[in-house]
Amino acid sequence: MKKNLLAIIILALLLVNTIMTGFMMLTVLTTNNQAVALIGDIAAALQIEANGGENGQGFSGSATGNVDIANMDTYVISDMTISLKDDGSGKQHFMLATFVLSMDKSNEDYATYGTAEAMATYEQQIRAKINDVFSSYTYDDVRQHEEEAVATALEKIQELFGSGFIYELSLSSKVYQ
């Protein structure tokens, strides 16, 4: 009789343990699904900010991966001489560079601003934006933080046009003195 009673107690404990495990799994899964939904909402909001809008054509320049090679066009700004910020050494430093603007031909603003004739019209304003950014760096800073300066200049150019049709700014050649 003792063995049967012990077996019944073990069976009851096993049944209670199974029910409590099922209840905990149900509770944890519900909470986990809510956390996943919250994280998904946050990630979606950050992705919209990172891409600059739903279609990825915003001002951040992160749409570079989304542009098909057939929809790419470039505009070259040759031989820009930029006077760099004084670093206190008593020597004036310069940067001679050629900049390449990569444009998305499928963007609706390309027809207005991106043609060769239109870009030639706006070239002096683009040069001014690039000059403003790079001239705020010293000789050592611009060499160390070149990518940051290029990204800032791209943002300024995109703000000038109020569009992300120019999605990349790159240096094809540069000389520091």
Side-chain angles (χ1 to χ4, degrees):
M1 177 103 179
K2 282 186 175 182
K3 287 184 179 181
N4 287 340
L5 186 60
L6 190 59
I8 292 173
I9 291 173
I10 291 172
L11 183 63
L13 287 174
L14 179 69
L15 186 61
V16 169
N17 188 16
T18 305
I19 291 171
M20 290 185 73
T21 301
F23 177 74
M24 284 191 334
M25 288 298 293
L26 182 65
T27 307
V28 168
L29 283 177
T30 304
T31 306
N32 187 32
N33 288 340
Q34 291 172 350
V36 167
L38 177 64
I39 291 169
D41 291 344
I42 292 170
L46 292 176
Q47 186 65 30
I48 287 172
E49 183 177 309
N51 282 344
E54 290 180 14
N55 61 1
Q57 299 296 327
F59 294 159
S60 69
S62 61
T64 57
N66 299 332
V67 178
D68 186 54
I69 191 80
N71 290 329
M72 291 174 58
D73 194 11
T74 59
Y75 185 79
V76 178
I77 299 177
S78 300
D79 301 330
M80 274 191 71
T81 303
I82 301 169
S83 176
L84 299 175
K85 183 178 175 182
D86 184 20
D87 60 359
S89 67
K91 292 177 65 177
Q92 180 63 42
H93 294 284
F94 295 95
M95 174 183 177
L96 176 64
T98 298
F99 291 91
V100 178
L101 301 166
S102 299
M103 299 176 286
D104 180 4
K105 291 193 289 189
S106 66
N107 188 298
E108 59 193 29
D109 291 327
Y110 175 80
T112 306
Y113 302 117
T115 62
E117 299 82 25
M119 290 301 290
T121 304
Y122 297 109
E123 183 173 336
Q124 293 307 314
Q125 286 106 341
I126 295 170
R127 283 178 177 264
K129 295 295 182 186
I130 292 171
N131 191 36
D132 288 346
V133 171
F134 279 88
S135 65
S136 67
Y137 286 87
T138 64
Y139 175 77
D140 293 328
D141 288 342
V142 77
R143 292 180 70 137
Q144 291 175 354
H145 305 288
E146 185 177 287
E147 289 179 14
E148 176 186 316
V150 169
T152 304
L154 175 62
E155 288 176 12
K156 297 291 184 184
I157 293 168
Q158 288 174 334
E159 288 173 7
L160 172 70
F161 288 102
S163 175
F165 80 96
I166 298 174
Y167 64 90
E168 183 179 33
L169 177 67
S170 56
L171 288 160
S172 66
S173 66
K174 61 188 177 261
V175 177
Y176 298 103
Q177 179 184 1

